[in-house]
Amino acid sequence: MDYRTAGVDVEGGRAFVRRIRSAVQRTQKAEVLSGIGGFGGLFAVPAGYREPVLVSGTDGVGTKLKLAQTCNIHNTIGLDLVAMSVNDILTLGAEPLFFLDYLATGVLDPEQLAEVIQGITEGCLEANCALLGGETAEMPGFYAPNVYDLAGFCVGIVEKTEIIDGSQVRVGDRLLGLPSSGAHSNGFSLIRRIVNDGIAAGEIPSWQHVPEGWARSLVETFLTPTCIYVKPVLEALASGLEIRGMAHITGGGLPENLPRSLKDGTSAQIDPGVWSIPPEFTWLQRQGDVPVLEMFSTFNMGIGFVLVIPPSQVEACQQHFPDAIAMGEVVAGSGEVLGLENWSY
């Protein structure tokens, strides 16, 4: 017997690395000091920082992976993976430097996984960070055929005096919401349950169904990649705009994530009537008979990122972010998000 007999194709793994090499090289920056395939990646600290602070983040894409694999669509899920980590470290004002991925599968399918890596490289290019390295693990008997798992790791940098941690937030500051591109990478256990139950009951023909008034099918809508907010937000900071807090609206929605960007003793007063909730969320609420607060606690509801700014910066910020939504303000409190129950659908 040999390793291949046991289900691990070592040469296939080497061929896969060779196959993705050119895609990975597209993301390389001047600070990258190593090539793909080493034991570790080397990245020089960019010049110009007085007190550089490294910021790290890690995340996955949850059961959105299951939907991608069920529908055999793999070219966008890698972009989601990058977005989840780079948007997280962005909330501290950090510029992403490099990204690492971990990909585990039962049987290595080069075509399938090359599409995944292509999405990762596209995400890195959009976030202006290098894909510095990764790990592909073939684990027969642990994962079923055509099943893979993903994790991502990002490292960024910020000047110590420019860290954004919410400590400067004041009562009266305004909340500006940046639109999401849809469900991003959260709530997919509920999305899949609602759609699959509808299919089983004969109410929905399939994931390829296009609900009335929609331009795309259910699967196309829900596999839309997560927005990456890095470039516009960093450009806003570089232009001198004062941003006192930032929140990436991921798992837990506005109620869980927005308070993470606020100072102790404050809360967020939100008016959900000032933005148009994307139709997929209204459809999910009605199809699954989901309570309003459960919707806001599970999904981003059309707001993917929130900026906390002083009132004097509202006009300048809205010029920089034309699609931004003035969604509320900071009030005295103990970390609640108020007003969400007023959403009418």
Side-chain angles (χ1 to χ4, degrees):
M1 295 184 68
D2 57 18
Y3 213 8
R4 187 166 187 170
T5 306
V8 179
D9 185 356
V10 175
E11 181 51 42
R14 295 191 187 105
F16 175 68
V17 171
R18 291 193 294 270
R19 177 173 184 159
I20 65 173
R21 188 181 300 275
S22 61
V24 173
Q25 287 174 340
R26 293 175 58 211
T27 72
Q28 302 306 281
K29 305 167 71 172
E31 293 84 3
V32 176
L33 305 179
S34 58
I36 187 172
F39 286 105
L42 300 173
F43 195 97
V45 175
Y49 285 88
R50 299 181 301 277
E51 294 183 276
V53 175
L54 296 179
V55 184
S56 63
T58 182
D59 212 336
V61 292
T63 60
K64 190 172 187 177
L65 267 178
K66 183 72 172 177
L67 178 56
Q69 291 166 28
T70 298
C71 298
N72 197 30
I73 299 173
H74 311 283
N75 61 342
T76 59
I77 203 74
L79 199 153
D80 285 296
L81 185 69
V82 175
M84 295 304 286
S85 289
V86 298
N87 286 342
D88 275 356
I89 70 167
L90 177 64
T91 63
L92 291 158
E95 173 191 357
L97 296 177
F98 58 83
F99 187 83
L100 303 168
D101 68 84
Y102 172 78
L103 196 161
T105 185
V107 178
L108 197 150
D109 181 334
E111 294 284 345
Q112 179 192 71
L113 300 186
E115 289 188 32
V116 176
I117 297 298
Q118 182 65 38
I120 292 174
T121 61
E122 293 299 329
C124 287
L125 289 169
E126 193 170 333
N128 195 31
C129 65
L131 180 53
L132 194 60
E135 166 71 2
T136 303
E138 193 171 15
M139 301 167 63
F142 193 89
Y143 293 100
N146 298 316
V147 172
Y148 58 87
D149 199 6
L150 289 175
F153 314 87
C154 183
V155 172
I157 192 168
V158 63
E159 192 72 66
K160 187 175 182 180
T161 57
E162 297 173 5
I163 295 172
I164 298 172
D165 59 5
S167 60
Q168 301 302 310
V169 169
R170 300 289 181 267
V171 170
D173 283 348
R174 301 297 193 261
L175 304 172
L176 229 60
L178 306 185
S180 70
S181 56
H184 284 185
S185 299
N186 300 105
F188 274 83
S189 293
L190 181 55
I191 291 171
R192 290 170 42 250
R193 176 66 183 270
I194 289 171
V195 176
N196 287 335
D197 281 2
I199 292 172
E203 301 166 351
I204 303 169
S206 73
W207 277 98
Q208 301 300 328
H209 174 61
V210 181
E212 184 178 353
W214 290 26
R216 298 177 296 175
S217 67
L218 289 167
V219 66
E220 289 172 321
T221 298
F222 289 123
L223 283 183
T224 299
T226 304
C227 276
I228 292 178
Y229 300 97
V230 170
K231 287 183 180 178
V233 170
L234 290 181
E235 287 170 0
L237 290 169
S239 74
L241 287 175
E242 183 182 356
I243 300 176
R244 293 176 172 174
M246 292 189 277
H248 182 202
I249 309 306
T250 57
L254 286 164
E256 183 172 322
N257 292 288
L258 189 47
R260 298 165 69 182
S261 68
L262 303 178
K263 183 180 179 181
D264 288 348
T266 63
S267 292
Q269 180 69 50
I270 300 294
D271 180 2
V274 299
W275 77 90
S276 179
I277 305 292
E280 55 264 38
F281 297 115
T282 303
W283 182 89
L284 285 167
Q285 194 282 324
R286 291 173 175 161
Q287 181 69 29
D289 192 23
V290 184
V292 168
L293 291 181
E294 182 69 14
M295 289 294 297
F296 276 99
S297 296
T298 305
F299 303 111
N300 63 55
M301 300 298 279
I303 302 294
F305 204 84
V306 178
L307 310 175
V308 186
I309 58 174
S312 62
Q313 297 284 287
V314 172
E315 185 177 349
C317 234
Q318 288 189 310
Q319 288 178 354
H320 193 89
F321 301 98
D323 296 332
I325 299 153
M327 55 187 292
E329 64 179 317
V330 177
V331 298
S334 54
E336 305 94 345
V337 176
L338 310 169
L340 297 178
E341 67 280 0
N342 297 324
W343 178 48
S344 59
Y345 47 89

